[in-house]
């Protein structure tokens, strides 16, 4: 039996909350989550100035068949540092696909995986690898990039950054 089938977590009502290490809840999240979960089985926060195409490697976009899905890639990326999942078949399907895609080095690391293989495992995007990315590319966000693209493809609804930050504090936040 997988953890998603754990009978201690009730179907359609049970919620699993994820907060990245170093971040913390500074307020009770129940009111925020109740509101956000009215519209979506998964809660994630929409980042303001971080367009998907600028924070997701070209190789990851290609591997996920998202290269020409401009309605998804031209929109803000979703943060994966504060998440909530209601136990539904859709949410479990999503998490299983997220895990599967994250287990593929090409999809997880994007063009950096080629650099790892070519430059002895340093993991730094340099030279010809960066040149293959779009001109506005900043850096690849690995599992967050995969999460964000899947979230949009599944049609889940994102919450505002401001609403989420009423309950969570990020230790490593940068605007």
């Amino acid at each position: 039996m997988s953890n998603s089938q754990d009978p201690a977590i009730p179907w359609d009502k049970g919620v699993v909350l994820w907060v990245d290490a170093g971040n913390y809840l500074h307020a009770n999240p129940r009111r925020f989550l109740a509101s956000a979960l009215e519209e979506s089985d998964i809660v994630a926060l929409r980042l303001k100035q971080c367009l998907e195409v600028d924070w997701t490697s070209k190789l990851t976009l290609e591997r996920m068949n998202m290269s020409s899905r401009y309605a998804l890639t031209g929109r803000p990326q979703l943060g994966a540092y504060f998440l909530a999942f209601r136990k539904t078949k859709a949410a479990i399907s999503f998490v299983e696909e997220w895990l599967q895609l994250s287990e593929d080095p090409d999809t997880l690391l994007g063009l950096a995986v080629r650099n790892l293989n070519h430059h002895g495992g340093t993991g730094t995007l340099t030279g010809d690898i960066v040149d293959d990315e779009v001109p506005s590319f900043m850096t690849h966000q690995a599992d967050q990039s995969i999460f964000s693209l899947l979230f949009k493809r599944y049609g889940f609804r994102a919450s505002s950054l401001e609403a989420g930050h009423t309950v969570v504090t990020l230790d490593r936040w940068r605007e």
Side-chain angles (χ1 to χ4, degrees), residues 7-167:
I9 302 171
W11 283 97
D12 301 315
K13 294 179 186 170
V15 175
V16 174
L17 183 62
W18 170 264
V19 180
D20 266 354
N23 304 326
Y24 59 93
L25 296 175
H26 64 258
N28 187 327
R30 289 180 190 266
R31 182 176 292 147
F32 166 72
L33 292 176
S35 175
L37 288 167
E38 285 180 9
E39 298 188 20
S40 186
D41 288 345
I42 299 176
V43 176
L45 306 180
R46 185 182 325 98
L47 303 176
K48 289 182 179 182
Q49 308 290 321
C50 303
L51 295 183
E52 201 75 64
V53 72
D54 298 338
W55 296 89
T56 302
S57 177
K58 178 180 168 184
L59 181 59
T60 300
L61 292 170
E62 290 170 0
R63 298 285 296 206
M64 293 181 67
N65 296 317
M66 297 283 201
S67 295
S68 61
R69 305 246 347 236
Y70 305 114
L72 301 180
T73 62
R75 300 191 51 119
Q77 191 171 73
L78 301 164
Y81 57 85
F82 173 62
L83 305 171
F85 302 86
R86 182 190 351 252
K87 185 178 178 181
T88 63
K89 291 190 184 301
I92 288 172
S93 176
F94 170 90
V95 170
E96 288 172 347
E97 187 172 358
W98 182 26
L99 174 61
Q100 178 185 16
L101 289 165
S102 295
E103 289 175 334
D104 172 40
D106 285 346
T107 306
L108 180 66
L109 300 175
L111 288 174
V113 77
R114 292 184 184 162
N115 198 45
L116 284 171
N117 295 334
H118 187 268
H119 296 289
T122 63
T124 306
L125 282 175
T126 59
D128 58 328
I129 303 300
V130 172
D131 292 342
D132 286 344
E133 298 289 2
V134 298
S136 59
F137 181 75
M138 301 297 285
T139 190
H140 181 64
Q141 295 299 314
D143 64 305
Q144 178 172 292
S145 290
I146 295 168
F147 172 89
S148 182
L149 289 166
L150 277 180
F151 185 97
K152 293 172 188 178
R153 189 171 75 198
Y154 270 71
F156 294 120
R157 294 221 156 153
S159 296
S160 76
L161 196 62
E162 295 80 11
H165 286 192
T166 64
V167 299

